[in-house]
Amino acid sequence: QVQLVESGGGLVQPGGSLRLSCAASGSIGPVVVMGWYRQAPGKQRELVARFTSDGTTNYADSVKGRFSISRDNAKNTVSLQMNSLKPEDTAVYYCNLIDRIYGSTWGQGTQVTVSS
């Protein structure tokens, strides 16, 4: 099975930056998708950014130009650089990996709070 461990959340002022990291371990099949989702209080979980198997990146419109996703295939890690953070970016951020053997795996989530 796959385990995902996230790190890098915290409290930041509006306009600040944070970097989230996610490390995958265990028995990982061919990766289809790896990326980040978030869930704010009272809202549904939504896509933030992800890599697909053909190397394509997808970003939510709300984070384009501010967030950047990167990955290290050799280490099975994916990171999310978040710049120009806004209060509406406050949420629990989840790492997600979909592979061809075990399907979808979620991390435990890391809290990001943007507040002055």
Side-chain angles (χ1 to χ4, degrees):
Q1 291 188 348
V2 181
Q3 294 83 42
L4 301 176
V5 177
E6 301 128 331
S7 60
L11 172 64
V12 65
Q13 292 186 343
S17 298
L18 281 175
R19 185 176 180 85
L20 306 182
S21 294
C22 173
S25 62
S27 299
I28 304 170
V31 176
V32 178
V33 172
M34 190 170 186
W36 293 91
Y37 287 72
R38 68 186 180 187
Q39 188 166 17
K43 295 187 177 181
Q44 290 189 332
R45 192 171 298 187
E46 62 176 3
L47 171 70
V48 178
R50 67 181 183 183
F51 283 103
T52 60
S53 58
D54 62 358
T56 303
T57 54
N58 304 129
Y59 289 92
D61 288 342
S62 59
V63 306
K64 286 180 180 177
R66 301 188 297 122
F67 291 13
S68 178
I69 190 170
S70 61
R71 63 181 175 181
D72 184 331
N73 289 334
K75 296 181 179 180
N76 286 320
T77 60
V78 64
S79 297
L80 184 68
Q81 178 65 42
M82 305 186 293
N83 299 325
S84 302
L85 282 160
K86 304 175 181 180
E88 51 263 44
D89 294 317
T90 295
V92 178
Y93 284 69
Y94 296 91
C95 182
N96 175 250
L97 184 151
I98 301 174
D99 73 60
R100 296 191 186 280
I101 296 178
Y102 297 104
S104 181
T105 301
W106 292 93
Q108 81 282 1
T110 185
Q111 177 71 45
V112 171
T113 302
V114 185
S115 175
S116 55

